Every structure is written in structure tokens, then in C-alpha cells.
Short mmCIF file of all heavy atoms in Angstrom, two decimals:
data_model
loop_
_atom_site.label_atom_id
_atom_site.label_comp_id
_atom_site.label_asym_id
_atom_site.label_seq_id
_atom_site.Cartn_x
_atom_site.Cartn_y
_atom_site.Cartn_z
N GLU K 138 156.83 127.54 101.89
CA GLU K 138 157.65 128.25 100.96
C GLU K 138 156.84 129.32 100.25
O GLU K 138 155.67 129.29 99.93
CB GLU K 138 158.18 127.29 99.84
CG GLU K 138 159.11 127.81 98.89
CD GLU K 138 159.65 126.93 97.84
OE1 GLU K 138 159.40 125.70 97.79
OE2 GLU K 138 160.41 127.41 96.85
N ASP K 139 157.59 130.45 100.26
CA ASP K 139 156.92 131.61 99.61
C ASP K 139 156.88 131.74 98.12
O ASP K 139 158.00 131.98 97.44
CB ASP K 139 157.65 132.96 100.28
CG ASP K 139 156.96 134.21 99.68
OD1 ASP K 139 155.89 134.17 99.12
OD2 ASP K 139 157.49 135.34 100.03
N THR K 140 155.89 131.14 97.58
CA THR K 140 155.73 131.21 96.08
C THR K 140 154.50 132.11 95.62
O THR K 140 153.67 132.36 96.39
CB THR K 140 155.38 129.71 95.57
OG1 THR K 140 154.14 129.35 96.32
CG2 THR K 140 156.54 128.69 96.15
N PRO K 141 154.39 132.36 94.28
CA PRO K 141 153.32 133.11 93.88
C PRO K 141 152.04 132.41 94.02
O PRO K 141 151.04 133.17 94.42
CB PRO K 141 153.56 133.18 92.27
CG PRO K 141 155.11 133.10 92.13
CD PRO K 141 155.54 132.24 93.29
N GLU K 142 151.93 131.19 93.93
CA GLU K 142 150.68 130.44 94.23
C GLU K 142 150.20 130.61 95.72
O GLU K 142 149.15 130.80 95.97
CB GLU K 142 150.87 128.88 94.01
CG GLU K 142 149.60 127.99 94.17
CD GLU K 142 149.91 126.57 93.97
OE1 GLU K 142 151.09 126.21 93.66
OE2 GLU K 142 148.98 125.79 94.18
N MET K 143 151.28 130.50 96.62
CA MET K 143 150.85 130.64 98.10
C MET K 143 150.38 132.02 98.32
O MET K 143 149.59 132.21 99.17
CB MET K 143 152.12 130.25 98.98
CG MET K 143 152.34 128.75 99.02
SD MET K 143 150.85 127.73 99.25
CE MET K 143 150.20 128.43 100.84
N ARG K 144 151.10 132.93 97.83
CA ARG K 144 150.59 134.46 97.93
C ARG K 144 149.17 134.66 97.41
O ARG K 144 148.48 135.33 98.11
CB ARG K 144 151.58 135.41 97.13
CG ARG K 144 152.99 135.38 97.68
CD ARG K 144 153.75 136.39 96.90
NE ARG K 144 155.21 136.30 97.26
CZ ARG K 144 156.22 136.93 96.74
NH1 ARG K 144 156.04 137.73 95.79
NH2 ARG K 144 157.54 136.88 97.11
N ARG K 145 148.81 133.90 96.36
CA ARG K 145 147.44 134.21 95.85
C ARG K 145 146.54 133.43 96.89
O ARG K 145 145.40 133.81 97.18
CB ARG K 145 147.23 133.38 94.63
CG ARG K 145 147.93 134.18 93.37
CD ARG K 145 147.59 133.67 92.00
NE ARG K 145 147.91 132.19 91.78
CZ ARG K 145 149.04 131.78 91.36
NH1 ARG K 145 150.09 132.73 91.02
NH2 ARG K 145 149.23 130.51 91.16
N LYS K 146 146.92 132.27 97.49
CA LYS K 146 146.06 131.59 98.47
C LYS K 146 145.96 132.35 99.82
O LYS K 146 145.04 132.52 100.45
CB LYS K 146 146.61 130.20 98.85
CG LYS K 146 146.45 129.30 97.60
CD LYS K 146 146.81 127.93 97.99
CE LYS K 146 146.52 126.88 96.96
NZ LYS K 146 146.71 125.51 97.23
N TYR K 147 147.04 133.11 100.18
CA TYR K 147 147.00 134.05 101.31
C TYR K 147 146.11 135.16 101.03
O TYR K 147 145.34 135.63 102.04
CB TYR K 147 148.34 134.58 101.57
CG TYR K 147 148.95 133.72 102.61
CD1 TYR K 147 149.58 132.36 102.22
CD2 TYR K 147 149.14 134.12 103.99
CE1 TYR K 147 150.30 131.65 103.07
CE2 TYR K 147 149.92 133.23 104.83
CZ TYR K 147 150.44 132.08 104.30
OH TYR K 147 151.16 131.19 105.36
N THR K 148 145.89 135.61 99.76
CA THR K 148 144.93 136.61 99.42
C THR K 148 143.54 136.08 99.61
O THR K 148 142.73 136.77 100.21
CB THR K 148 145.12 137.14 97.96
OG1 THR K 148 146.47 137.58 97.74
CG2 THR K 148 144.12 138.23 97.64
N ARG K 149 143.35 134.87 99.22
CA ARG K 149 142.06 134.37 99.42
C ARG K 149 141.75 133.99 100.93
O ARG K 149 140.53 134.09 101.29
CB ARG K 149 142.06 132.83 98.67
CG ARG K 149 140.56 132.31 98.64
CD ARG K 149 140.67 130.96 98.01
NE ARG K 149 141.38 129.98 98.81
CZ ARG K 149 141.74 128.65 98.42
NH1 ARG K 149 141.42 128.42 97.14
NH2 ARG K 149 142.31 127.88 99.24
N PHE K 150 142.85 133.82 101.64
CA PHE K 150 142.64 133.52 103.11
C PHE K 150 142.07 134.81 103.72
O PHE K 150 141.15 134.61 104.53
CB PHE K 150 143.97 133.24 103.75
CG PHE K 150 143.98 133.32 105.13
CD1 PHE K 150 143.43 132.55 106.05
CD2 PHE K 150 144.65 134.53 105.80
CE1 PHE K 150 143.53 132.61 107.39
CE2 PHE K 150 144.73 134.62 107.25
CZ PHE K 150 144.08 133.77 107.98
N ILE K 151 142.61 135.97 103.31
CA ILE K 151 142.07 137.13 103.81
C ILE K 151 140.62 137.31 103.42
O ILE K 151 139.74 137.74 104.35
CB ILE K 151 142.90 138.46 103.37
CG1 ILE K 151 144.39 138.39 103.82
CG2 ILE K 151 142.27 139.69 103.74
CD1 ILE K 151 145.25 139.26 103.15
N ALA K 152 140.23 137.09 102.16
CA ALA K 152 138.78 137.07 101.77
C ALA K 152 137.94 136.08 102.60
O ALA K 152 136.89 136.48 102.87
CB ALA K 152 138.69 136.72 100.27
N GLN K 153 138.57 134.89 102.92
CA GLN K 153 137.84 133.89 103.76
C GLN K 153 137.64 134.44 105.14
O GLN K 153 136.41 134.33 105.64
CB GLN K 153 138.66 132.68 103.89
CG GLN K 153 138.66 131.84 102.63
CD GLN K 153 139.67 130.70 102.64
OE1 GLN K 153 139.94 130.13 101.70
NE2 GLN K 153 140.20 130.34 103.79
N GLU K 154 138.49 135.18 105.74
CA GLU K 154 138.32 135.65 107.05
C GLU K 154 137.18 136.79 107.08
O GLU K 154 136.45 136.76 107.99
CB GLU K 154 139.76 136.21 107.60
CG GLU K 154 140.69 135.16 107.88
CD GLU K 154 140.30 134.11 109.01
OE1 GLU K 154 140.08 134.57 110.09
OE2 GLU K 154 140.30 132.94 108.64
N VAL K 155 137.29 137.55 106.21
CA VAL K 155 136.28 138.59 105.88
C VAL K 155 134.90 138.06 105.78
O VAL K 155 133.92 138.40 106.51
CB VAL K 155 136.58 139.63 104.75
CG1 VAL K 155 135.48 140.69 104.60
CG2 VAL K 155 137.88 140.42 105.08
N GLU K 156 134.73 137.12 104.99
CA GLU K 156 133.51 136.50 104.60
C GLU K 156 132.92 135.75 105.84
O GLU K 156 131.74 135.73 106.32
CB GLU K 156 133.52 135.45 103.44
CG GLU K 156 133.76 136.16 102.15
CD GLU K 156 132.65 137.00 101.63
OE1 GLU K 156 131.40 136.70 102.08
OE2 GLU K 156 132.74 137.94 100.85
N ASN K 157 133.79 134.93 106.51
CA ASN K 157 133.42 134.21 107.72
C ASN K 157 133.05 135.14 108.91
O ASN K 157 132.00 134.69 109.69
CB ASN K 157 134.55 133.26 108.07
CG ASN K 157 134.87 132.16 107.11
OD1 ASN K 157 133.86 131.84 106.34
ND2 ASN K 157 136.00 131.55 107.12
N ASP K 158 133.73 136.21 109.06
CA ASP K 158 133.34 137.10 110.14
C ASP K 158 131.86 137.82 109.80
O ASP K 158 131.09 137.95 110.69
CB ASP K 158 134.31 138.30 110.29
CG ASP K 158 134.09 139.04 111.53
OD1 ASP K 158 133.43 140.12 111.42
OD2 ASP K 158 134.71 138.80 112.61
N GLY K 159 131.90 138.33 108.55
CA GLY K 159 130.58 138.88 108.19
C GLY K 159 130.31 140.38 108.56
O GLY K 159 129.27 140.90 108.05
N ARG K 160 131.23 140.89 109.25
CA ARG K 160 131.04 142.33 109.62
C ARG K 160 132.18 143.19 109.23
O ARG K 160 132.12 144.54 109.39
CB ARG K 160 130.93 142.41 111.16
CG ARG K 160 129.59 141.64 111.63
CD ARG K 160 129.80 141.57 113.19
NE ARG K 160 130.88 140.77 113.54
CZ ARG K 160 131.30 140.35 114.82
NH1 ARG K 160 130.47 140.96 115.66
NH2 ARG K 160 132.19 139.67 115.13
N LEU K 161 133.18 142.64 108.70
CA LEU K 161 134.39 143.41 108.20
C LEU K 161 134.32 143.83 106.78
O LEU K 161 133.87 143.30 105.92
CB LEU K 161 135.61 142.55 108.47
CG LEU K 161 135.82 141.90 109.85
CD1 LEU K 161 137.11 140.94 109.81
CD2 LEU K 161 136.02 142.96 110.88
N PRO K 162 134.84 145.14 106.57
CA PRO K 162 135.11 145.58 105.18
C PRO K 162 136.12 144.85 104.55
O PRO K 162 137.12 144.50 105.04
CB PRO K 162 135.39 147.11 105.37
CG PRO K 162 135.19 147.46 106.88
CD PRO K 162 135.29 146.05 107.53
N HIS K 163 135.88 144.58 103.20
CA HIS K 163 136.87 143.85 102.51
C HIS K 163 138.18 144.84 102.31
O HIS K 163 138.29 145.93 102.56
CB HIS K 163 136.42 143.48 101.05
CG HIS K 163 135.50 142.42 101.03
ND1 HIS K 163 136.11 141.12 100.91
CD2 HIS K 163 134.16 142.11 101.00
CE1 HIS K 163 135.16 140.13 100.80
NE2 HIS K 163 134.03 140.83 100.99
N PHE K 164 139.27 144.03 102.13
CA PHE K 164 140.70 144.65 102.07
C PHE K 164 141.07 145.11 100.66
O PHE K 164 140.78 144.42 99.69
CB PHE K 164 141.71 143.60 102.63
CG PHE K 164 141.81 143.40 104.15
CD1 PHE K 164 140.52 143.20 104.76
CD2 PHE K 164 142.98 143.57 104.84
CE1 PHE K 164 140.60 143.01 106.18
CE2 PHE K 164 142.99 143.38 106.16
CZ PHE K 164 141.75 143.22 106.93
N THR K 165 141.65 146.18 100.78
CA THR K 165 142.21 146.76 99.50
C THR K 165 143.51 145.98 98.94
O THR K 165 144.10 145.31 99.89
CB THR K 165 142.54 148.36 99.45
OG1 THR K 165 143.63 148.42 100.45
CG2 THR K 165 141.28 149.12 99.95
N GLU K 166 144.02 146.15 97.88
CA GLU K 166 145.16 145.65 97.28
C GLU K 166 146.28 145.88 98.17
O GLU K 166 147.09 144.98 98.61
CB GLU K 166 145.48 145.89 95.83
CG GLU K 166 146.66 145.24 95.25
CD GLU K 166 146.91 145.72 93.88
OE1 GLU K 166 146.10 146.46 93.29
OE2 GLU K 166 147.86 145.18 93.35
N GLU K 167 146.57 147.17 98.63
CA GLU K 167 147.60 147.43 99.42
C GLU K 167 147.45 146.95 100.87
O GLU K 167 148.60 146.55 101.36
CB GLU K 167 147.68 149.06 99.53
CG GLU K 167 147.95 149.81 98.22
CD GLU K 167 146.84 149.79 97.24
OE1 GLU K 167 145.64 149.60 97.77
OE2 GLU K 167 147.05 150.10 96.07
N ALA K 168 146.27 146.84 101.35
CA ALA K 168 146.04 146.20 102.68
C ALA K 168 146.48 144.72 102.55
O ALA K 168 147.18 144.21 103.56
CB ALA K 168 144.69 146.39 103.16
N VAL K 169 146.18 144.09 101.54
CA VAL K 169 146.56 142.63 101.37
C VAL K 169 147.99 142.39 101.27
O VAL K 169 148.64 141.54 101.96
CB VAL K 169 145.77 142.07 100.13
CG1 VAL K 169 146.28 140.72 99.94
CG2 VAL K 169 144.23 142.07 100.39
N GLU K 170 148.68 143.34 100.54
CA GLU K 170 150.15 143.32 100.50
C GLU K 170 150.86 143.40 101.79
O GLU K 170 151.70 142.73 102.24
CB GLU K 170 150.60 144.37 99.49
CG GLU K 170 150.27 144.06 97.98
CD GLU K 170 150.68 145.29 97.05
OE1 GLU K 170 151.12 146.30 97.51
OE2 GLU K 170 150.57 145.04 95.85
N GLU K 171 150.28 144.33 102.61
CA GLU K 171 150.84 144.57 103.87
C GLU K 171 150.73 143.22 104.92
O GLU K 171 151.56 142.97 105.62
CB GLU K 171 150.18 145.73 104.64
CG GLU K 171 151.00 146.22 105.94
CD GLU K 171 152.40 146.60 105.62
OE1 GLU K 171 152.56 147.29 104.50
OE2 GLU K 171 153.19 146.20 106.52
N VAL K 172 149.48 142.55 104.71
CA VAL K 172 149.35 141.26 105.43
C VAL K 172 150.12 140.20 105.02
O VAL K 172 150.82 139.56 105.86
CB VAL K 172 147.81 140.88 105.40
CG1 VAL K 172 147.59 139.51 106.00
CG2 VAL K 172 146.80 142.00 105.96
N ILE K 173 150.49 140.18 103.70
CA ILE K 173 151.41 139.11 103.20
C ILE K 173 152.87 139.42 103.68
O ILE K 173 153.65 138.51 103.94
CB ILE K 173 151.21 139.09 101.58
CG1 ILE K 173 150.00 138.53 101.29
CG2 ILE K 173 152.45 138.27 101.03
CD1 ILE K 173 149.69 138.40 99.76
N LEU K 174 153.21 140.74 103.76
CA LEU K 174 154.50 141.02 104.17
C LEU K 174 154.60 140.71 105.67
O LEU K 174 155.75 140.16 106.06
CB LEU K 174 154.69 142.56 104.11
CG LEU K 174 155.07 143.10 102.77
CD1 LEU K 174 155.17 144.70 102.75
CD2 LEU K 174 156.51 142.56 102.25
N GLU K 175 153.65 140.83 106.42
CA GLU K 175 153.65 140.35 107.78
C GLU K 175 153.65 138.86 107.98
O GLU K 175 154.27 138.30 108.80
CB GLU K 175 152.43 141.08 108.51
CG GLU K 175 152.31 140.60 109.98
CD GLU K 175 153.33 141.32 110.94
OE1 GLU K 175 153.98 142.25 110.25
OE2 GLU K 175 153.58 140.99 112.01
N ALA K 176 153.05 138.22 106.97
CA ALA K 176 153.12 136.63 106.96
C ALA K 176 154.59 136.26 106.75
O ALA K 176 155.17 135.30 107.30
CB ALA K 176 152.23 136.10 105.95
N GLN K 177 155.39 136.99 105.84
CA GLN K 177 156.74 136.69 105.59
C GLN K 177 157.48 137.00 106.84
O GLN K 177 158.42 136.22 107.27
CB GLN K 177 157.22 137.63 104.45
CG GLN K 177 156.69 137.24 103.07
CD GLN K 177 157.03 138.28 101.97
OE1 GLN K 177 157.48 139.25 102.37
NE2 GLN K 177 156.97 137.71 100.72
N ARG K 178 157.17 138.15 107.43
CA ARG K 178 157.97 138.45 108.76
C ARG K 178 157.78 137.55 109.88
O ARG K 178 158.84 137.20 110.38
CB ARG K 178 157.54 139.85 108.98
CG ARG K 178 158.19 140.54 110.11
CD ARG K 178 157.87 141.99 110.36
NE ARG K 178 158.42 142.76 111.41
CZ ARG K 178 158.11 142.74 112.61
NH1 ARG K 178 156.83 142.19 112.85
NH2 ARG K 178 158.75 143.30 113.62
N ARG K 179 156.65 137.05 110.05
CA ARG K 179 156.37 136.26 111.20
C ARG K 179 156.88 134.71 110.86
O ARG K 179 156.96 133.92 111.80
CB ARG K 179 154.85 136.16 111.32
CG ARG K 179 154.20 137.42 111.84
CD ARG K 179 152.83 137.31 112.32
NE ARG K 179 152.35 138.50 112.79
CZ ARG K 179 151.03 138.65 113.40
NH1 ARG K 179 150.36 137.44 113.62
NH2 ARG K 179 150.66 139.75 113.75
N SER K 180 157.21 134.51 109.57
CA SER K 180 157.69 133.15 109.31
C SER K 180 159.04 132.90 110.03
O SER K 180 159.45 131.78 110.44
CB SER K 180 157.89 132.85 107.94
OG SER K 180 158.75 133.58 107.36
N GLY K 181 159.90 134.00 110.17
CA GLY K 181 161.21 133.83 110.69
C GLY K 181 162.18 133.14 109.87
O GLY K 181 163.32 132.90 110.37
N ARG K 182 161.85 132.90 108.57
CA ARG K 182 162.69 132.18 107.67
C ARG K 182 162.69 132.74 106.24
O ARG K 182 161.76 133.37 105.80
CB ARG K 182 162.20 130.63 107.54
CG ARG K 182 162.27 129.76 108.69
CD ARG K 182 161.85 128.39 108.41
NE ARG K 182 162.64 127.82 107.55
CZ ARG K 182 162.37 126.62 106.85
NH1 ARG K 182 161.24 125.94 107.17
NH2 ARG K 182 163.07 125.99 106.08
N LYS K 183 163.80 132.73 105.79
CA LYS K 183 163.95 133.46 104.30
C LYS K 183 163.03 132.69 103.35
O LYS K 183 162.94 131.49 103.25
CB LYS K 183 165.37 133.45 103.88
CG LYS K 183 166.10 132.25 103.90
CD LYS K 183 167.59 132.29 103.52
CE LYS K 183 168.23 131.05 103.74
NZ LYS K 183 169.79 131.11 103.65
N GLU K 184 162.38 133.39 102.58
CA GLU K 184 161.58 132.85 101.54
C GLU K 184 160.48 131.91 101.98
O GLU K 184 160.18 130.92 101.30
CB GLU K 184 162.49 132.26 100.39
CG GLU K 184 163.44 133.25 99.64
CD GLU K 184 164.27 132.57 98.68
OE1 GLU K 184 164.12 131.26 98.60
OE2 GLU K 184 165.11 133.17 98.09
#
């Protein structure tokens, strides 16, 4: 379910991926928003 809490965790997920890779630049706020929009889109289900 798409809740504010899960969106915050998805933001942390992006930070985790960047930290674990060790070579990627960190994501801006707008870039994070676009990734979360893609997560909504890929779910194929409303909310």
C-alpha cells in the first residue's frame, strides 16, 4: 500500500542502493520523486 511511511522507506531504499554500490552520486529530491512515481507505475495497482 502506498502510504507516506512507505514513501519515506523508498527514499531510504534509494540511499541504501547508493551506499551499497559505493560509486554512485546521491539522488536529489526531484530524482527520488521520479523513482517513487516509477514504483507506483510498476505496481500496476491503484494506491
Side-chain angles (χ1 to χ4, degrees):
E138 188 178 352
D139 183 6
T140 64
E142 179 184 359
M143 289 311 304
R144 293 178 186 178
R145 295 193 296 272
K146 287 189 175 182
Y147 270 72
T148 305
R149 190 186 66 191
F150 164 74
I151 298 170
Q153 289 170 189
E154 292 297 303
V155 172
E156 291 292 336
N157 292 337
D158 187 275
R160 296 168 295 177
L161 305 178
H163 276 279
F164 280 53
T165 64
E166 180 181 3
E167 293 77 15
V169 173
E170 290 176 348
E171 192 60 40
V172 173
I173 293 176
L174 282 172
E175 183 66 13
Q177 294 174 341
R178 185 171 177 269
R179 293 189 181 191
S180 71
R182 295 180 62 188
K183 53 188 175 185
E184 298 178 358

